[in-house]
Coordinates of all heavy atoms in Angstrom, one line a residue:
W238 N 84.7 82.5 89.5 CA 83.6 81.7 90.1 C 83.5 82.0 91.5 O 84.6 82.1 92.2 CB 83.9 80.2 89.9 CG 83.9 79.7 88.5 CD1 82.8 79.1 87.9 CD2 85.0 79.6 87.6 NE1 83.2 78.8 86.6 CE2 84.5 79.1 86.4 CE3 86.3 80.1 87.7 CZ2 85.3 78.9 85.3 CZ3 87.1 79.9 86.5 CH2 86.6 79.3 85.4
S239 N 82.3 82.2 92.0 CA 82.1 82.3 93.5 C 81.3 81.1 93.9 O 80.5 80.5 93.1 CB 81.4 83.6 93.9 OG 80.1 83.6 93.3
F240 N 81.5 80.6 95.1 CA 80.9 79.4 95.6 C 80.9 79.3 97.1 O 81.6 80.0 97.8 CB 81.7 78.2 95.0 CG 83.1 78.2 95.4 CD1 83.6 77.6 96.5 CD2 84.1 78.8 94.5 CE1 84.9 77.7 96.9 CE2 85.4 78.9 94.9 CZ 85.8 78.3 96.0
G241 N 80.1 78.3 97.6 CA 80.1 77.9 99.0 C 80.6 76.5 99.1 O 80.3 75.7 98.2
A242 N 81.4 76.2 100.0 CA 82.0 74.8 100.2 C 81.9 74.4 101.7 O 82.0 75.2 102.6 CB 83.4 74.8 99.7
S243 N 81.7 73.1 101.9 CA 81.6 72.6 103.2 C 82.2 71.2 103.3 O 82.3 70.5 102.3 CB 80.1 72.5 103.7 OG 79.4 71.6 102.9
D244 N 82.7 70.9 104.5 CA 83.3 69.6 104.8 C 83.2 69.3 106.3 O 83.8 70.1 107.1 CB 84.7 69.5 104.3 CG 85.3 68.1 104.5 OD1 85.1 67.2 103.7 OD2 86.0 67.9 105.6
T245 N 82.5 68.3 106.7 CA 82.3 68.1 108.2 C 83.5 67.4 108.8 O 83.5 67.2 110.0 CB 81.1 67.2 108.4 OG1 81.2 66.0 107.7 CG2 79.8 68.0 107.9
G246 N 84.5 66.9 108.0 CA 85.6 66.2 108.6 C 86.8 67.1 108.9 O 86.8 67.8 109.9
S247 N 87.8 67.1 108.0 CA 89.0 67.9 108.3 C 88.8 69.3 107.9 O 89.6 70.2 108.3 CB 90.1 67.3 107.5 OG 89.8 67.2 106.1
G248 N 87.7 69.7 107.2 CA 87.5 71.1 106.8 C 88.0 71.4 105.5 O 88.9 70.7 104.9
I249 N 87.5 72.6 104.9 CA 87.9 73.0 103.6 C 89.3 73.7 103.7 O 89.4 74.7 104.3 CB 86.9 74.0 103.0 CG1 85.5 73.2 102.8 CG2 87.3 74.5 101.7 CD1 85.6 72.1 101.8
Y250 N 90.2 73.2 102.9 CA 91.6 73.7 102.9 C 91.8 74.8 101.9 O 92.2 75.9 102.2 CB 92.6 72.6 102.7 CG 94.0 73.1 102.6 CD1 94.7 73.6 103.7 CD2 94.7 73.2 101.3 CE1 96.0 74.0 103.6 CE2 96.0 73.7 101.2 CZ 96.6 74.1 102.3 OH 97.9 74.6 102.2
G251 N 91.5 74.5 100.6 CA 91.8 75.4 99.5 C 91.1 75.2 98.2 O 90.3 74.3 98.1
V252 N 91.5 75.9 97.2 CA 90.9 75.8 95.9 C 92.1 75.7 94.9 O 93.1 76.3 95.1 CB 90.0 77.0 95.6 CG1 90.8 78.3 95.6 CG2 89.3 76.8 94.3
N253 N 91.8 75.0 93.8 CA 92.9 74.8 92.8 C 92.3 74.8 91.4 O 91.0 74.7 91.2 CB 93.6 73.5 93.0 CG 95.0 73.4 92.5 OD1 95.4 74.3 91.7 ND2 95.7 72.5 92.9
E254 N 93.1 75.0 90.4 CA 92.7 75.0 89.0 C 93.6 73.9 88.3 O 94.8 73.8 88.6 CB 92.9 76.3 88.3 CG 92.1 77.4 88.9 CD 92.5 78.8 88.3 OE1 93.4 78.8 87.4 OE2 91.9 79.8 88.6
V255 N 93.0 73.3 87.3 CA 93.7 72.5 86.3 C 93.3 72.9 84.9 O 92.1 72.8 84.6 CB 93.5 71.0 86.5 CG1 94.2 70.2 85.4 CG2 93.9 70.5 87.9
V256 N 94.2 73.5 84.1 CA 93.9 73.9 82.8 C 94.6 73.1 81.8 O 95.9 73.1 81.8 CB 94.2 75.4 82.7 CG1 93.8 75.9 81.3 CG2 93.5 76.3 83.7
D257 N 93.9 72.4 80.9 CA 94.5 71.6 79.9 C 95.5 70.6 80.5 O 96.6 70.3 80.0 CB 95.2 72.4 78.8 CG 94.2 73.3 78.1 OD1 93.1 72.9 77.9 OD2 94.6 74.4 77.6
G258 N 95.1 70.0 81.7 CA 95.9 69.0 82.4 C 97.0 69.5 83.2 O 97.7 68.7 83.9
K259 N 97.2 70.9 83.3 CA 98.3 71.4 84.0 C 97.7 72.1 85.3 O 96.9 73.0 85.2 CB 99.1 72.4 83.2 CG 100.3 73.0 83.9 CD 101.1 74.0 83.0 CE 102.3 74.5 83.8 NZ 103.1 75.5 82.9
A260 N 98.2 71.7 86.4 CA 97.7 72.2 87.7 C 98.4 73.5 88.0 O 99.6 73.7 87.8 CB 97.9 71.2 88.8
T261 N 97.6 74.5 88.6 CA 98.2 75.7 89.1 C 98.6 75.5 90.6 O 98.3 74.5 91.2 CB 97.3 76.9 88.9 OG1 96.1 76.7 89.7 CG2 96.9 77.1 87.5
T262 N 99.1 76.5 91.2 CA 99.5 76.5 92.6 C 98.2 76.5 93.4 O 97.3 77.3 93.2 CB 100.4 77.6 93.0 OG1 101.6 77.6 92.2 CG2 100.8 77.5 94.5

Side-chain angles (χ1 to χ4, degrees):
W238 293 266
S239 63
F240 56 88
S243 61
D244 182 83
T245 58
S247 57
I249 297 296
Y250 175 76
V252 62
N253 205 347
E254 297 172 2
V255 177
V256 180
D257 297 330
K259 183 178 180 180
T261 63
T262 302

